[in-house]
Amino acid sequence: PIQYAKVQPPPLRDETLTRDRLLDRLHAEHHSRVILMLADAGDGKTTLLADFARRTRLRTLWYRLDDDDLDWTAILHHLVAAGREHDPGFAPATLAMLAETGISGPSREAVLEVFIRELPTIAPNGAVLILDDYHLVGEAPDMKVIARELIARAPERLSIVLASRRTPPIPLARLRANGEVAELGPDDLRFDAAETA
């Protein structure tokens, strides 16, 4: 079953500090294919991304991963649900195929292919897919395949944010060489003097 709290940005308190320099950087970097946000627990990754999702005009698909997201059907169900937060009719063919999965149902590759074909409908003017807590499932075989395929084949106007405590096991060397990977690390997320004040 879909856990809808996982496909919605967490609510922010009114007193949450607005980190304009980092929000501006995310806005500037949203044209990158991949944005890596790598930092330890408590460094503010989720809060910053939730604030970005709240403020940007871009469609922001949110998916907070956890230990239950190891199976490709659960992952794709939640990715469809994240898109349906913006467009209730998003990915009808993918959803129909997911309803048929089973012993003799469609394969992971077949469903993923259809999902990638349907992705452009959610990002006609640009969109951002945020995969929060990626470190919890990054080593899972199904997640590796899905993330790799999304990064390689998603529409140009879709940026993928991987928020994680460690570097994801995804081949990014070619994208880095082409300048298509932006990175924010602990030094970027550390409060500066003005924010501390």
Side-chain angles (χ1 to χ4, degrees):
I2 303 296
Q3 298 177 46
Y4 287 98
K6 292 168 63 165
V7 296
Q8 299 167 346
L12 297 176
R13 297 178 178 180
D14 291 339
E15 63 269 23
T16 299
L17 176 68
T18 301
R19 307 190 70 189
D20 291 319
R21 66 182 176 90
L22 293 174
L23 292 170
D24 290 346
R25 183 154 169 204
L26 285 171
H27 281 290
E29 301 284 13
H30 87 268
H31 297 293
S32 301
R33 164 59 80 189
V34 177
I35 300 173
L36 288 178
M37 188 174 290
L38 304 175
D40 290 330
D43 279 356
K45 300 182 296 296
T46 299
T47 301
L48 174 63
L49 289 172
D51 202 17
F52 173 77
R54 178 174 67 173
R55 294 172 187 277
T56 186
R57 293 181 179 178
L58 295 167
R59 283 183 167 174
T60 304
L61 286 66
W62 187 278
Y63 185 8
R64 180 183 52 80
L65 296 151
D66 63 33
D67 296 331
D68 293 331
D69 298 310
L70 303 176
D71 174 75
W72 66 270
T73 56
I75 295 166
L76 287 172
H77 267 294
H78 280 89
L79 287 171
V80 171
R84 288 188 168 214
E85 289 289 307
H86 296 279
D87 175 3
F90 171 63
T94 303
L95 202 58
M97 290 180 78
L98 285 169
E100 298 172 5
T101 56
I103 295 173
S104 60
S107 67
R108 175 187 68 193
E109 286 68 25
V111 180
L112 183 56
E113 176 69 30
V114 170
F115 178 72
I116 289 172
R117 281 205 311 263
E118 291 187 299
L119 261 180
T121 65
I122 203 72
N125 301 309
V128 178
L129 169 61
I130 296 173
L131 298 175
D132 193 22
D133 286 336
Y134 190 83
H135 56 278
L136 295 175
V137 297
E139 297 291 341
D142 283 342
M143 190 71 235
K144 282 183 181 179
V145 170
I146 291 170
R148 187 183 67 234
E149 290 299 305
L150 286 175
I151 290 169
R153 301 175 53 215
E156 281 185 20
R157 291 178 165 263
L158 180 71
S159 296
I160 299 168
V161 178
L162 302 175
S164 179
R165 294 182 192 172
R166 56 185 169 273
T167 303
I170 299 171
L172 296 173
R174 184 181 58 79
L175 289 173
R176 273 196 179 98
N178 292 335
E180 296 184 65
V181 178
E183 299 188 50
L184 284 84
D187 290 342
D188 301 299
L189 293 172
R190 190 171 292 122
F191 286 100
D192 64 15
E195 291 166 340
T196 303

